[in-house]
Amino acid sequence: MTNLQWPIRIARPAIAEFSAYAARGGATVALHLDANEAPWAPPPVLGADGYNRYPAQQPKALLARLADLYGVAEQRLMLGRGADEAIEVLLRTFCEAGQDSVLICPPTFGYYETCARIQGAGIIEAPLNDDFSYNGERIMAAVRAGQEGLKIVFLCSPNNPSGNSIDLKIVVELCQEFPEILIVVDEAYNEFSDQPSFIDLQDEYQNLVVLRTLSKAYALAGVRAGVAIADPRVIALMLKVLPPYPIPRPVEDAVTSALSPSAMMVHEARLTLWKSERVRVAKALKGSRFVTKIYPSDANFLLLDITDEQALMKGLRKSQIRIRRYGKTLPGKIRISIGSPEENDIALAAFGVAIASQTPDRTGEVHRKTKETDIAVRVNLDDPSITKIATGIGFYDHMLEALAKHGGFGLVLSCKGDLHIDGHHTIEDCALALGAALKQALGNKQGIGRFGAAMLIPMDEAQAQVAIDLSGRPAMGFVGEFPTERVGDFASEMCPHVFESLAQTLGAAIQINVTGGGPRTGAGF
Ligand SMILES: *Cc1c(COP(=O)(O)O)cnc(C)c1O
């Protein structure tokens, strides 16, 4: 055994010995008569690209995207049906039934234990401290005592359900002291935390494995996708155990578009909101008579000590709110996820917290994808704090930024367009998407003035007059001339088109009148 190379010598002998099942997937331009597939797409044929062909075990384009997302080489990734599958595959690759074991630090994510039990592996526990911090000495002692046959240490950071992160020193010490054992850090909630990921430490420690999921921060729980990130030799062994076709094509499509460059800015804006909601909810819950303690959290949930549990549960049930309870394992505690601001307000009310009655933010989110452009827009009419624009056209970014700033609304807009041809599609499509997002945010337009008229805006060398009617009927008039054909990479002739497109999807009449437009003589200052 010992003359085998690591990590083969810590894998189950059967896994080390057999040769992997030859998955046939991944259609190419070749004539595929090798996998008994149907030659036709399933009906209805449109839009079912490649559904009749087996996918690759690790779809290449998606793997490349995830490698980029996590900043690692593709050989360091195993993509599976959620981080859950990575946990299962780790157990099945390394733990011999009735012989090997794993270490967990309860209270923690339950699936480590579930998988260990299914696999017939032993479970060694090194419980967290009373305040739920990780107890480094306790873990070290337990690993030393159980070293024979101990294959995997599962650490969860931020920990589910307590929300706290592990001290870097503990992970480093474990990796150094026990190079034969896999030290797995489950980072399902890393995106919500300000702690750096442990991925970067993998350059130094070959036994460090990191788990990430697209279920939480990237809103893909129903799609099932997550990764193990590890030494390529560990990954190679795991790929022998992973089923041949774990990533259905619709999953690949869904993940790819949810991680498109433009969608990333929406995720970023949402994360900012999510974290600020975590702070707001925690603060508000201090005023609840049901809550005696709120544990600090680096994740998108809060663990609470509660009192008068029956009355609280009754109230939550009445409002149809589900929270997580733990029965005898964690009596008197509940875990509550951070939802949207509106959802959180409903939950706070059930906790008996008087929150200033606030109307929910008027937001609109539009994703628009065509052959020419891929656009994500998020507007928040009631919170101007987040504005981030990247269209690829500098002057256009500046224009839209000015629009958000002077309009007093938050705007996240990103676009990947066919700029190698020219800016036309990008400019028009962004305006179309922005108009649609604004319309969505305005909703039924309750409480706002329909007309915004007679604004006179002076600039250095010109003045503009704009009138808007949110009538629902698109119309646009533009009077004005441009002294130059281009402003940077923005073609001046596109300016009327911007407002035309905006008017179209916003459902507004927009009239613009610009005079001046050249250096005026005698202006005098
Ligand atoms: C949610 C969760 C997972 C599972 O993630 P999937 O990718 O949806 O399987 C893994 N680990 C922890 C700690 C979680 O809370």
Side-chain angles (χ1 to χ4, degrees), residues 81-85 87 109 112 156 158-160 186 188-189 211-216 221 224-226 301 335:
R81 289 164 289 193
D84 281 351
E85 186 160 50
I87 295 166
F109 187 54
Y112 314 133
C156 187
N159 186 44
N160 180 3
D186 183 344
Y189 300 97
L211 307 182
R212 298 291 289 261
T213 178
L214 299 169
S215 296
K216 311 284 165 46
R224 308 308 300 133
F301 55 78
R335 188 193 70 194

Side-chain angles (χ1 to χ4, degrees), residues 459-524:
M459 287 161 280
D460 286 358
E461 288 144 2
Q463 69 180 25
Q465 231 174 345
V466 180
I468 298 175
D469 176 12
L470 295 171
S471 61
R473 290 183 308 278
M476 207 285 297
F478 189 99
V479 182
E481 274 172 27
F482 299 95
T484 55
E485 253 174 49
R486 307 191 72 79
V487 189
D489 38 12
F490 184 92
S492 312
E493 56 160 4
M494 288 306 291
C495 203
H497 291 301
V498 169
F499 295 105
E500 202 176 297
S501 302
L502 193 66
Q504 195 183 325
T505 48
L506 176 57
I510 303 176
Q511 297 292 340
I512 299 172
N513 203 328
V514 187
T515 53
R520 290 184 184 184
T521 48

